[in-house]
């Protein structure tokens, strides 16, 4: 379970990313974070994997209490999470296969496990035939899939995605979204910040709307609710 | 750390070294130069210590007895002094024996030989050997207190001065070495920072997918250690060759000068340079990484 308890995030320039946000996310949920650009969606996401720390309040991810997390434990927290970044963050000099295998290498997986697991995940995201390509040889949607494969490869409990369909055409975005549904169906909790109005409306999942750093709406079967 | 981890670390390290080969070369050279200077001071102090010990082992004190003191009194002091602390050995000599040994030592100095043969101006006395050179001054005063003693002569001052010089040199060595060490540190820090900078995205992604700090550090630490060690080994080879040459030349030019043995010099040099190289390498890599690990 992920729980935010009266969390505020104030940046050094005085700007507030989040104000007094309380939110509970149970395991197995599929949750959309929606809201205008700059509303605080990314701030919230970054707090979850501890790229940033809350200024006030407390964030809990399972047994981890993030404000008191020591440096060594940050790595352990992140191993429970699979993060799909807004800017994908692929390593340009490495192939698709290596990019995904990398995430297993750094957590100390054996070569045998890597050889077994990486092709499975690439197959799942539909990149089984692109494993030897480099990122620049792929389309935006394919790159995003590599990022998703990397997030999934260590079987995370929570998959956190920050605008994974941001720069993609609607059709590709739809494909990517289907992938997340599949991931969720297989048991992972999915937390996704997004602008994809059509998809949110269509999926009928929990929607948390954030405006100016505050949670203004939290609906179990929500809609996007903004003019896009 | 399991076997997969070690394979990964070695691969990454070699890749970094190869990618920055020029900067690596610069680092190795800097380490080598600084280690060479360190070795220079080590060779110097080792030799000074060696000379000091040699001199100390030869140190004796000559105690001269007033003229016209009877043999009986001389022998009684001899017997007394034998039991004084720190006295290893005492030889009594008469002024005749002293004259004979002088003649033996300087057979060509005819005037001298003639002089001491005619009317021997020398004294009876004792050669006193001690266990520790530091004990000499105290023993000397003890002898001087005895009314039959005319004078006490010893080479203690040479020894104390040498010891002082070696102390000063050691300090100068440490200071120079400290400064050079700092310079070396900066160069290696820069080399490794280049390697880290080239891979900052990787480091960031590694951290974000759950790599521990140490997992990320190891390849860079190993890189630092390799740079430090290579530099040290280069310096050691130069020092070894140089000292071999020096001892060879000195054996002909200064046969009486007691140079420290190659083995004793090289043990010091190897010890300090290798430890120093590893230390500088580790420290530099940790410093270089600090900023990049804050993700």
């Amino acid at each position: 379970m992920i729980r935010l308890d009266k969390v505020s995030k104030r940046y050094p320039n005085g700007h507030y990313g989040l104000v007094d946000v309380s939110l509970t996310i149970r395991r197995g949920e599929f949750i959309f974070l929606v809201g205008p650009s700059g509303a605080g969606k990314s701030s919230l996401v970054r707090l979850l994997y501890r790229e940033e720390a809350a200024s006030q309040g407390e964030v809990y991810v399972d047994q981890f209490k993030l404000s008191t997390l020591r440096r060594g434990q940050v790595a352990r927290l992140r191993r429970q999470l699979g993060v799909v970044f807004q800017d994908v963050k692929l390593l340009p000099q490495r192939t698709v296969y290596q990019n995904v295998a990398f995430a297993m290498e750094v957590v100390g997986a054996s070569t045998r496990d890597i050889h077994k697991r990486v092709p499975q995940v690439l197959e799942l995201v539909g990149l089984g035939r692109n494993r030897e390509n480099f990122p620049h040889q792929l389309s935006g949607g394919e790159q995003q899939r590599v990022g998703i494969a990397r997030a999934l490869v260590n079987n995370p409990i929570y998959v956190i995605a920050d605008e994974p369909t941001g720069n993609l055409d609607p059709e590709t975005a739809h494909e990517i979204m289907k992938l997340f549904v599949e991931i969720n169906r297989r048991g992972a909790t999915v937390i996704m910040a997004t602008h994809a109005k059509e998809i949110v409306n269509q999926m009928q999942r929990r929607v948390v709307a954030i405006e100016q750093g505050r949670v203004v709406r939290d609906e179990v079967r929500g809609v996007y609710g903004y003019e896009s | 750390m399991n076997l997969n981890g070690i394979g990964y670390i070695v691969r990454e390290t070699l890749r970094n070294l190869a990618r920055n080969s020029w900067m690596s070369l610069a680092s190795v050279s800097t380490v080598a130069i600084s280690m060479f200077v360190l070795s220079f001071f080590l060779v110097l102090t080792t030799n000074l210590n060696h000379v000091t010990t040699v001199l100390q082992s030869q140190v004796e004190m000559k105690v001269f007895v007033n003229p016209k003191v009877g043999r009986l009194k001389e022998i009684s002091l001899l017997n007394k002094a034998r039991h004084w602390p720190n006295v290893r050995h005492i030889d009594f000599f008469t002024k005749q024996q002293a004259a004979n040994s002088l003649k033996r030592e300087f057979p060509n100095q005819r005037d001298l030989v003639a002089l001491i043969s005619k009317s021997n101006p020398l004294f009876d006395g004792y050669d006193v050997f001690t266990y520790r050179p530091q004990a000499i001054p105290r023993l000397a005063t003890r002898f001087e207190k005895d009314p039959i003693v005319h004078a006490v002569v010893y080479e203690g001052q040479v020894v104390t001065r040498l010891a002082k010089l070696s102390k000063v040199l050691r300090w100068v060595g440490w200071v120079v070495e400290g400064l050079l060490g700092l310079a070396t540190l900066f160069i290696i820090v820069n080399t490794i920072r280049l390697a880290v900078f080239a891979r900052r995205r990787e480091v960031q992604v590694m951290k974000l997918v759950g790599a521990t700090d140490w997992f990320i550090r190891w390849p860079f630490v190993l890189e630092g250690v390799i740079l430090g060690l290579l530099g040290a080994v280069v310096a050691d080879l130069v020092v070894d060759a140089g000292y071999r040459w020096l001892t060879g030349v000195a054996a002909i030019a200064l046969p009486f000068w007691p140079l420290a043995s190659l083995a004793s010099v090289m043990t010091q040099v190897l010890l300090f340079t290798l430890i120093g190289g590893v230390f500088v390498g580790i420290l530099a890599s940790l410093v270089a990484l600090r900023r990049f690990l804050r993700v």
Side-chain angles (χ1 to χ4, degrees):
Chain A
M1 191 171 78
I2 293 177
R3 194 156 68 82
L4 280 75
D5 189 12
K6 295 181 178 149
V7 170
S8 294
K9 174 66 191 177
R10 186 173 186 266
Y11 289 98
N13 62 10
H15 176 75
Y16 273 90
L18 291 173
V19 183
D20 204 23
V21 170
S22 294
L23 188 65
T24 301
I25 301 166
R26 284 182 192 81
R27 282 202 183 186
E29 272 192 290
F30 194 122
I31 176 168
F32 287 115
L33 303 174
V34 302
S37 294
K41 305 187 295 290
S42 291
S43 294
L44 198 158
V45 166
R46 283 200 289 267
L47 288 181
L48 295 182
Y49 61 88
R50 192 55 158 79
E51 188 172 0
E52 286 168 5
S55 317
Q56 276 162 42
E58 187 59 77
V59 181
Y60 301 89
V61 175
D62 288 350
Q63 76 274 30
F64 297 102
K65 185 179 175 187
L66 267 53
S67 67
T68 56
L69 218 53
R70 278 178 288 112
R71 278 184 76 106
Q73 287 179 306
V74 172
R76 286 182 43 218
L77 163 76
R78 288 175 180 165
R79 289 175 192 200
Q80 313 266 18
L81 311 172
V83 184
V84 182
F85 303 98
Q86 198 167 6
D87 56 349
V88 201
K89 292 193 198 295
L90 297 182
L91 301 173
Q93 323 87 327
R94 301 199 186 210
T95 63
V96 167
Y97 182 91
Q98 288 168 339
N99 262 288
V100 177
F102 183 65
M104 288 186 79
E105 271 180 1
V106 302
V107 299
S110 74
T111 317
R112 205 209 293 155
D113 288 348
I114 294 175
H115 284 325
K116 215 174 85 186
R117 173 73 179 153
V118 174
Q120 285 176 2
V121 182
L122 287 176
E123 208 59 51
L124 175 71
V125 300
L127 287 175
R129 293 196 294 171
N130 300 82
R131 46 183 286 177
E132 295 311 319
N133 288 129
F134 287 91
H136 67 89
Q137 296 170 315
L138 303 176
S139 69
E142 286 166 332
Q143 289 184 12
Q144 197 57 262
R145 286 165 194 264
V146 180
I148 294 167
R150 188 182 59 197
L152 294 181
V153 76
N154 287 324
N155 285 314
I157 300 164
Y158 301 97
V159 175
I160 299 167
D162 194 1
E163 309 238 12
T165 60
N167 304 316
L168 305 178
D169 61 85
E171 203 172 317
T172 316
H174 203 78
E175 290 296 313
I176 296 286
M177 206 55 78
K178 266 165 59 184
L179 196 52
F180 278 102
V181 172
E182 173 64 17
I183 293 161
N184 178 239
R185 203 182 56 76
R186 293 183 180 210
T189 309
V190 176
I191 300 152
M192 184 187 298
T194 186
H195 277 124
K197 180 184 179 186
E198 310 292 326
I199 291 167
V200 174
N201 288 343
Q202 192 186 329
M203 298 250 306
Q204 303 259 310
R205 302 285 182 143
R206 181 174 172 195
V207 173
V208 172
I210 300 174
E211 284 176 33
Q212 293 183 336
R214 296 171 194 274
V215 173
V216 294
R217 183 156 57 89
D218 186 349
E219 296 166 340
V220 180
R221 289 177 179 279
V223 290
Y224 188 72
Y226 295 98
E227 294 305 315
S228 54
Chain B
M1 183 63 54
N2 55 23
L3 268 176
N4 303 308
I6 293 169
Y8 163 85
I9 289 165
V10 173
R11 273 200 312 280
E12 290 300 305
T13 307
L14 295 180
R15 193 193 312 205
N16 284 343
L17 284 170
R19 246 187 230 168
N20 294 322
S21 48
W22 278 107
M23 202 58 204
S24 305
L25 193 67
S27 304
V28 171
S29 322
T30 323
V31 178
I33 290 168
S34 126
M35 290 303 169
F36 181 77
V37 175
L38 170 68
S39 308
F40 178 79
F41 279 99
L42 283 172
V43 169
L44 219 58
T45 45
T46 312
N47 268 293
L48 263 176
N49 288 342
H50 181 67
V51 170
T52 315
T53 1
V54 168
L55 283 183
Q56 278 175 351
S57 68
Q58 292 172 350
V59 160
E60 57 175 83
M61 185 167 44
K62 279 193 188 294
V63 179
F64 297 107
V65 178
N66 280 319
K68 294 179 187 139
V69 169
R71 187 60 39 95
L72 222 61
K73 276 189 178 165
E74 289 174 345
I75 300 293
S76 100
L77 176 59
L78 175 69
N79 287 334
K80 250 196 320 194
R82 275 211 175 101
H83 304 291
W84 290 353
N86 279 311
V87 173
R88 183 158 55 101
H89 184 70
I90 299 190
D91 281 331
F92 174 72
F93 57 83
T94 61
K95 62 184 194 176
Q96 196 50 50
Q97 284 166 331
N100 288 341
S101 75
L102 257 184
K103 279 186 213 165
R104 264 200 311 281
E105 236 173 298
F106 305 100
N108 300 325
Q109 304 280 335
R110 283 166 186 275
D111 296 343
L112 178 75
V113 173
L115 179 72
I116 55 180
S117 303
K118 212 159 49 179
S119 70
N120 188 345
L122 302 175
F123 296 88
D124 291 349
Y126 318 94
D127 281 325
V128 182
F129 300 88
T130 61
Y131 286 109
R132 295 180 310 127
Q134 296 92 314
I136 290 177
R138 229 175 313 136
L139 266 179
T141 25
R142 193 157 183 185
F143 272 108
E144 277 162 352
K145 277 189 196 141
D146 197 290
I148 71 164
V149 170
H150 173 69
V152 180
V153 173
Y154 61 94
E155 296 178 63
Q157 275 131 335
V158 180
V159 171
T160 4
R161 275 189 199 150
L162 271 178
K164 256 186 206 151
L165 180 62
S166 130
K167 212 183 209 171
V168 168
L169 264 179
R170 201 166 299 163
W171 272 106
V172 172
W174 286 128
V175 171
V176 171
E177 198 44 47
L179 294 175
L180 274 170
L182 225 55
T184 315
L185 196 67
F186 282 130
I187 302 266
I188 303 189
V189 165
N190 268 322
T191 310
I192 293 175
R193 194 166 274 170
L194 271 186
V196 185
F197 193 75
R199 302 184 53 214
R200 64 194 181 286
R201 280 179 66 91
E202 243 166 292
V203 170
Q204 189 199 16
V205 173
M206 283 164 103
K207 285 230 57 172
L208 291 177
V209 299
T212 57
D213 285 354
W214 271 107
F215 184 85
I216 298 170
R217 272 190 204 121
W218 271 117
F220 295 108
V221 169
L222 189 60
E223 184 183 347
V225 169
I226 288 176
L227 292 175
L229 274 182
L230 278 179
V233 167
V234 169
D236 292 340
L237 290 175
V238 173
V239 170
D240 184 273
Y243 201 72
R244 273 172 207 277
W245 173 81
L246 185 71
T247 43
V249 170
I252 298 161
L254 294 164
F256 302 112
W257 186 258
L259 270 181
S261 70
L262 179 70
S264 70
V265 166
M266 285 314 287
T267 26
Q268 291 271 323
V269 167
L270 282 172
L271 186 75
F272 278 93
T273 54
L274 293 182
I275 290 177
V278 170
F279 176 76
V280 167
I282 290 176
L283 193 64
S285 56
L286 295 184
V287 171
L289 266 171
R290 266 171 44 116
R291 192 152 49 93
F292 293 94
L293 284 177
R294 284 195 212 116
V295 175

